[in-house]
Amino acid sequence: MALFVQVLVSGILLGGLYALMALGLALVWGVLNIVNLSHGALIMLGAYVTYFLVTGAHFDPFAALPIAAAVLFAIGYAIQRGILNLVIRGPMFNTLLITFGIEVVLMYLAQLWFSADYRTINPGYAGASYAVGGITIPFVQLIAFAIAIGLTAAMWLFLLHSRTGRGIRAAAQNLVAARLYGVSPKRIYALTFGLGAALAGVAGGLYGTVSQINPYIGGALTAKSFVIAIIGGLDNPLWVIVGGLFLGVIESLTALFIGPTYRDVASFGILVLILIVRPSGLLGRTA
Amino acid sequence: MKKIVRGVVLCVIVALLAALPWMGNTVLVQFGINLLLLATLAQGWNIIGGYTGYPSFGNSVFYGLGAYGVAIAMVQYHLPFWAGMLIGLGLGVAFAGLLGLAVLRLKGHYFAICTLGLALVMTAIVSNLEIAGSNIGLVLPLHTGEALFYELALGLLVLTTLTIFWLSRSRFGVGLIAIRENEEGAAVLGVNTTLYKILAFMLSAAFTALAGGIYAYYITFIDPAGVFDVVLNVKMIIMAVFGGPGSVLGPVIGAFVLSATSEVLATKVTSIASMFFGVVIVVAVVFMPRGIIDLVKNLRQAGWRYFIGNVRAHRL
Amino acid sequence: MYAFLFFIAFSFLPAPAWAQQVTLGASVQLTGPVANTGRYYKDAYEFAAEKINAAGGIAIGSTRHRIALKILDNQSDVNLSVRQYVQLLSQDKVNFLLGPFASNFVLADSSIAEKTRVPMVQGGGASDQIYSRGYTHVFGTLPAASNYFGSTIDAMTRLDPRPRTVALLYADDAFDVSVAKGTRELLKRAGLKTVIDERYSTNASDFSVLLSRIKSGKVDAVLVAGHETEVLNFIRQAKSLGVSPMLQSFTVGVPSADFRQALGRDANGASGMTAWLPSPALKDQWFGDAEKFAREWKARYGYEPDYHAAAGVAAVEAFVNAIQSAGSVDPQKVRDALAKVSFDSLYGHVSFNDQGQISLPQIMIQIQDGKVVPIYAGKEFLNKLQYPLAPWDKR
């Protein structure tokens, strides 16, 4: 029983991080209708930015996160403004392809600049944990989970109540309507992609504190993000959180009861099933 | 007259290609096997992606099934190669038929992601299958006649291209194009869209699976990550899109140009080759989103304005 | 004495002008996901060739041949690496082949060597599959996968208190499955009880479930056969979940410098194995000894060599020895000479069995205070093992 609860707790904590990874992807997909295959590469860059702030400038990892977010925001803004805006009205698989191309370039640059060495963000308290009634709760993962929930909530409030947020939501429905909010579509698209990248940056920083970083971690993270975005749907950040938790728990329980090699069968199987049965996402209302 | 000349030229090119293994350059033969298989894959994708307008990321599943059909038949049951090809073909086509029914109801990004998910879930399933050697993979018997693989790959590409040629002037092909342009409209005009889409998916799967079968025997060692490779699927799309999706020869030209360039880069300036691949994709999508065929048609008339025109048409 | 011989060799050489050369070709992973280990091979091949050339190259009869290298980057892509090996042979006209890193690459690439009947010596793949195909032209300088945990298990039976229960975790790729298969046998023979025997997906990043099972199963010793990224995650998550069995041993990472760097203090206590340590006892014709080799390598490349590096150098040296004793660069003669080669090197004693694989004992090692300490080499304890490991908060 203790084992089951422990696995459940681990799954939930993992799910929080998953959700944060998927949040940026879902935002960009929902608003810009771009399926961003370079999302994982942005997560990877966020991890590196955090890593270098921690090891080079002796930042605390969590204090470095806002800077990582800002840097990634700038990168994301530039990518959308400079490249993606040029093709956004083209055929759908062109945007898919171009984000794949961007991923390849980012991955290569990362290897060139940072080398293929494995790195970890490892502050003194990284391995600390709380024991509650025989259940171990890792400290860093708990913080990461809290940040993920907090950012999602903040995102939700921002989209719902701020002027720019309403502009973004309007742009998701109709570009002409977005103009009424006084923001040019070019800017609002770049802003949205920038926000997506910033969220990826934070997710990357947190990922580096619980796992390892190398230039090639992106692909798998992009795939996970898809699954969550599909489970949660694209219209409400809060559902993305639920999607992340759902995936984290399902993966952990599969590993426990069926076997660790069946994790991917479960998570990608769910992706396919949900799409076939309910393309709008398991939880969301509309696509 | 012009048509006859064109036909003769193509026949001569194919004959010359067929003679290549006897000209003594084994590097070219190796490159050829790889190129011809990639071109076949791009053509296979062309049927479902280019003509029908369904951007499949699941074609690598058919490739993997074809490869495993051969590998399992030869390694586990000691059957001859051609029997394995038939098994692989059957697996691929059956998979396309069964899943096509469910998956082809999805559109756009959702279809793309769902087929991507299929590729990932198949990798995960096969890596747990005892009969497929789990994730360790299977070691096939060694066959030293490279010419065999080359001629098989060439034959398959010719067959695929001829099929697409037929497609482009048949009722069936017109139906597929109608689906791509406007699916509801096609249905109104009396096209049985479900049937057409599934047939296109199965046809695409057939050629892709055969290519996978040839590959398995040629490379002698396959594992799930190697043959259910999503990146391979992306390559098919890039080659087709780069050459000209929805045209008869575009994907072949795209495959040829891109493979040749990346091969030269991989061997000459070895360290930037992989980044080059990414840059080419980005530049190609921005400036020539309809591929080489379209570029050749319009470049003479429009000159450099062709590129500007493309950007103008698609930018925000 | 050696120095004197070198001097003689040098003084008779028409300095830069070499009459002839022998070209060794390889396609290794310089970019892509496996580049981190692939680089060892490029650096090893180049370092060895340079050293051997400086000492007069390869002697065939009375003429001296320079070693030339042709190394291509396969971008961690198996298909590309196969084509590159073909290209190396027929276009670049290399005489012999050196191997890539990783068993799955070796499995595909060595078929080219077999087809063209040009010998390949590789120091990058140890999976049993490579040697069970009946190939005659593939030689390997990594010892058998099935015995990787041999010395560790041997040592475990002599520990006090003796570990009673063992968890065996392994990635599902060719090499690690081979390791697990051998280890299972060894554990049974040593009378140790395996309570968890579980396969996980290659590149797995979350080990919390397996770790929780280890914790609740009260496992004494954990043996993990996997890849460096997985082991990094495993150790980090073991710490955060407070899982500290008495002994933890890993097939990879522990001897590698960047692994210890990535983990910092958390690497302490992790044990593993290596077929090679930079010991001055390992004499070498070209490098002096293994310790000197390691020092020069560090100075030159800026990171410490591990057994991958030494196995790569040994592959080059095996060719030199075989070519010299064959007295020819004829592929068939050199293959036959390789089968009989027997010499001491900085890597250890190099000779190949009938399947073409080297046989070397694995030395059990442990990271203590950030340094690799040899623990057990099959007969006796060389140094004290930190055992049982203290809980994480007391390390």
Side-chain angles (χ1 to χ4, degrees):
Chain A
M1 189 61 203
L3 176 62
F4 180 77
V5 176
Q6 176 73 61
V7 166
L8 211 58
V9 167
S10 296
I12 289 171
L13 291 178
L14 180 69
L17 190 54
Y18 276 177
L20 186 57
M21 287 178 188
L23 195 57
L25 183 97
L27 177 73
V28 168
W29 188 352
V31 176
L32 275 56
N33 200 25
I34 290 177
V35 171
N36 181 16
L37 293 176
S38 67
H39 188 70
L42 295 171
I43 296 177
M44 176 268 293
L45 285 183
Y48 272 110
V49 172
T50 315
Y51 170 82
F52 284 111
L53 285 170
V54 170
T55 53
H58 303 291
F59 271 72
D60 181 85
F62 293 107
L65 289 180
I67 304 179
V71 172
L72 264 289
F73 178 84
I75 294 174
Y77 194 93
I79 289 177
Q80 178 69 31
R81 200 71 202 250
I83 304 172
L84 294 180
N85 270 348
L86 295 179
V87 297
I88 199 152
R89 288 194 296 137
M92 177 225 118
F93 51 68
N94 281 5
T95 53
L96 265 181
L97 279 184
I98 205 166
T99 55
F100 176 79
I102 291 170
E103 193 221 3
V104 172
V105 173
L106 291 180
M107 209 158 72
Y108 178 82
L109 288 178
Q111 150 141 26
L112 197 69
W113 291 333
F114 313 136
S115 89
D117 281 358
Y118 306 127
R119 304 176 197 261
T120 63
I121 299 169
N122 207 355
Y125 52 78
S129 57
Y130 300 117
V132 186
I135 305 299
T136 311
I137 300 175
F139 172 72
V140 172
Q141 286 201 15
L142 188 65
I143 301 281
F145 181 81
I147 290 178
I149 303 284
L151 273 179
T152 310
M155 191 75 209
W156 187 63
L157 290 174
F158 168 75
L159 286 178
L160 216 58
H161 295 296
S162 82
R163 193 181 160 75
T164 320
R166 283 198 294 263
I168 289 176
R169 282 196 304 139
Q173 309 291 330
N174 183 338
L175 270 183
V176 183
R179 277 182 222 270
L180 296 178
Y181 282 89
V183 237
S184 83
K186 271 184 205 165
R187 262 200 57 217
I188 209 150
Y189 272 33
L191 205 66
T192 311
F193 199 89
L195 271 179
L199 289 168
V202 177
L206 292 175
Y207 185 78
T209 51
V210 298
S211 186
Q212 53 83 32
I213 310 166
N214 67 65
Y216 304 100
I217 56 177
L221 301 181
T222 307
K224 284 270 146 69
S225 304
F226 277 144
V227 182
I228 297 156
I230 291 295
I231 297 174
L234 304 175
D235 53 342
N236 187 336
L238 296 184
W239 285 124
V240 176
I241 279 282
V242 183
L245 299 185
F246 182 72
L247 184 71
V249 171
I250 288 284
E251 278 194 355
S252 295
L253 293 184
T254 309
L256 180 63
F257 290 115
I258 305 177
T261 53
Y262 288 89
R263 286 180 89 113
D264 282 355
V265 178
S267 56
F268 297 126
I270 285 174
L271 171 72
V272 172
L273 276 183
I274 289 178
L275 275 171
I276 290 175
V277 179
R278 265 197 74 147
S280 56
L282 195 59
L283 305 164
R285 279 164 295 119
T286 53
Chain B
M1 190 61 203
K2 207 175 156 193
K3 263 185 198 161
I4 297 173
V5 171
R6 206 181 281 175
V8 169
V9 168
L10 281 175
C11 285
V12 170
I13 290 178
V14 170
L16 279 178
L17 283 176
L20 186 77
W22 286 272
M23 295 182 196
N25 188 336
T26 45
V27 175
L28 223 51
V29 173
Q30 293 288 331
F31 172 68
I33 295 171
N34 192 62
L35 166 62
L36 293 168
L37 288 178
L38 277 175
T40 307
L41 295 182
Q43 283 289 42
W45 188 87
N46 193 19
I47 299 172
I48 187 70
Y51 279 93
T52 323
Y54 275 74
S56 164
F57 276 72
N59 274 31
S60 57
V61 174
F62 310 140
Y63 185 75
L65 287 174
Y68 268 101
V70 166
I72 292 173
M74 292 183 79
V75 177
Q76 311 286 26
Y77 299 105
H78 306 287
L79 295 172
F81 170 61
W82 60 264
M85 288 287 272
L86 285 182
I87 294 172
L89 178 68
L91 284 175
V93 173
F95 190 88
L98 289 175
L99 273 134
L101 214 55
V103 174
L104 286 161
R105 292 184 302 139
L106 300 169
K107 296 223 171 65
H109 289 316
Y110 291 94
F111 176 78
I113 299 297
C114 188
T115 47
L116 180 71
L118 274 181
L120 295 170
V121 84
M122 280 305 287
T123 320
I125 290 174
V126 172
S127 63
N128 280 300
L129 283 184
E130 208 64 49
I131 191 173
S134 311
N135 195 43
I136 310 171
L138 292 170
V139 175
L140 285 88
L142 196 64
H143 187 286
T144 48
E146 305 288 273
L148 169 75
F149 299 117
Y150 179 89
E151 300 300 347
L152 276 176
L154 181 63
L156 182 59
L157 177 60
V158 170
L159 183 67
T160 316
T161 308
L162 285 178
T163 309
I164 290 180
F165 179 71
W166 161 78
L167 200 72
S168 69
R169 36 201 67 210
S170 69
R171 254 188 80 82
F172 179 52
V174 174
L176 296 184
I177 294 174
I179 290 173
R180 178 184 73 199
E181 297 304 326
N182 181 346
E183 194 162 338
E184 283 77 23
V188 171
L189 290 177
V191 175
N192 183 343
T193 52
T194 313
L195 180 70
Y196 272 44
K197 284 189 292 184
I198 290 177
L199 284 178
F201 207 38
M202 287 166 77
L203 199 57
S204 177
F207 296 120
T208 313
L210 288 174
I214 298 174
Y215 171 78
Y217 196 18
Y218 154 71
I219 200 87
T220 74
F221 168 71
I222 61 166
D223 61 5
V227 290
F228 291 100
D229 186 5
V230 173
V231 175
L232 181 72
N233 201 106
V234 175
K235 278 189 185 162
M236 302 175 198
I237 304 179
I238 289 164
M239 285 169 176
V241 171
F242 188 80
S247 64
V248 178
L249 285 178
V252 180
I253 296 171
F256 184 82
V257 173
L258 281 180
S259 308
T261 330
S262 95
E263 193 79 6
V264 168
L265 280 169
T267 48
K268 300 291 180 235
V269 274
T270 181
S271 57
I272 61 153
S274 42
M275 181 156 91
F276 165 82
F277 192 58
V279 173
V280 165
I281 298 168
V282 172
V283 172
V285 171
V286 171
F287 292 107
M288 35 181 288
R290 280 181 302 274
I292 296 180
I293 295 275
D294 189 66
L295 172 79
V296 172
K297 267 188 204 149
N298 295 305
L299 192 61
R300 208 177 304 159
Q301 253 187 32
W304 55 272
R305 276 188 214 89
Y306 172 76
F307 301 110
I308 307 283
N310 275 328
V311 174
R312 230 175 241 153
H314 297 135
R315 76 169 176 208
L316 191 63
Chain C
M1 181 62 197
Y2 276 124
F4 179 63
L5 282 179
F6 282 179
F7 176 69
I8 301 282
F10 261 117
S11 47
F12 283 96
L13 272 170
W18 294 80
Q20 275 160 315
Q21 65 178 27
V22 175
T23 313
L24 304 178
S27 154
V28 295
Q29 298 91 336
L30 301 179
T31 53
V34 220
N36 195 22
T37 314
R39 65 175 173 179
Y40 282 105
Y41 292 90
K42 175 176 183 273
D43 294 349
Y45 297 157
E46 287 180 351
F47 200 15
E50 193 177 295
K51 262 296 203 236
I52 293 167
N53 284 337
I58 308 174
I60 303 177
S62 57
T63 54
R64 290 271 168 187
H65 288 58
R66 190 177 81 95
I67 300 179
L69 281 177
K70 178 82 188 176
I71 296 178
L72 300 172
D73 173 16
N74 61 33
Q75 302 166 18
S76 302
D77 173 354
V78 178
N79 298 327
L80 180 59
S81 79
V82 168
R83 292 206 301 286
Q84 287 183 332
Y85 272 105
V86 173
Q87 187 211 334
L88 285 167
L89 284 170
S90 52
Q91 194 167 301
D92 300 327
K93 305 281 179 209
V94 304
N95 298 88
F96 304 105
L97 299 176
L98 293 164
F101 167 62
S103 292
N104 54 335
F105 280 77
V106 173
L107 275 166
D109 296 341
S110 55
S111 70
I112 300 300
E114 192 67 16
K115 278 183 197 175
T116 51
R117 311 198 74 72
V118 172
M120 169 190 274
V121 181
Q122 55 87 16
S127 162
D128 296 353
Q129 267 180 311
I130 299 171
Y131 302 99
S132 60
R133 297 174 296 178
Y135 283 17
T136 52
H137 285 65
V138 183
F139 298 89
T141 54
L142 288 183
S146 46
N147 197 36
Y148 263 58
F149 278 113
S151 59
T152 305
I153 291 171
D154 211 12
M156 276 159 66
T157 59
R158 301 185 181 200
L159 289 172
D160 183 42
R162 205 180 140 156
R164 309 207 169 277
T165 49
V166 181
L168 171 64
L169 311 177
Y170 58 103
D172 58 358
D173 66 317
F175 171 74
D176 294 301
V177 170
S178 293
V179 172
K181 215 165 132 198
T183 307
R184 218 168 276 141
E185 205 52 43
L186 291 169
L187 285 169
K188 209 195 285 167
R189 229 182 298 153
L192 291 158
K193 197 172 156 212
T194 312
V195 287
I196 298 176
D197 183 341
E198 197 73 78
R199 201 162 55 104
Y200 64 82
S201 307
T202 297
N203 288 329
S205 59
D206 178 52
F207 288 91
S208 55
V209 174
L210 285 169
L211 284 163
S212 303
R213 280 178 61 192
I214 289 169
K215 194 175 188 182
S216 76
K218 306 227 176 338
V219 174
D220 292 340
V222 178
L223 309 180
V224 183
H227 307 88
E228 234 176 283
T229 51
E230 296 147 17
V231 175
L232 282 171
N233 281 326
F234 186 90
I235 293 182
R236 298 200 73 189
Q237 289 164 18
K239 184 179 179 188
S240 67
L241 287 170
V243 181
S244 56
M246 300 200 288
L247 177 82
Q248 294 194 58
S249 183
F250 307 93
T251 50
V252 292
V254 174
S256 310
D258 77 313
F259 174 86
R260 301 193 295 274
Q261 205 163 22
L263 280 176
R265 284 182 48 228
D266 294 343
N268 288 338
S271 61
M273 74 280 316
T274 180
W276 177 77
L277 284 169
S279 130
L282 293 167
K283 299 294 180 208
D284 190 272
Q285 187 185 344
W286 292 281
F287 287 90
D289 62 53
E291 192 188 30
K292 237 178 113 203
F293 159 76
R295 221 173 27 239
E296 286 178 30
W297 177 292
K298 175 87 200 286
R300 185 189 162 118
Y301 294 114
Y303 65 95
E304 284 170 40
D306 68 0
Y307 66 89
H308 297 103
V313 171
V316 178
E317 293 188 359
F319 266 125
V320 174
N321 269 278
I323 294 168
Q324 288 185 345
S325 67
S328 143
V329 289
D330 175 64
Q332 201 49 42
K333 284 186 186 147
V334 172
R335 190 225 82 92
D336 294 341
L338 273 170
K340 287 195 226 89
V341 96
S342 173
F343 65 100
D344 288 312
S345 74
L346 61 86
Y347 181 58
H349 184 76
V350 179
S351 65
F352 303 108
N353 63 14
D354 292 345
Q355 283 75 45
Q357 193 170 19
I358 202 170
S359 169
L360 285 178
Q362 294 282 358
I363 307 159
M364 182 187 182
I365 52 175
Q366 186 179 39
I367 301 177
Q368 298 179 357
D369 282 331
K371 288 195 183 57
V372 175
V373 177
I375 299 294
Y376 185 82
K379 286 194 190 69
E380 61 203 25
F381 283 89
L382 307 167
N383 285 293
K384 200 172 153 25
L385 178 73
Q386 280 177 8
Y387 176 88
L389 288 174
W392 282 101
D393 50 3
K394 298 204 175 59
R395 278 188 204 174

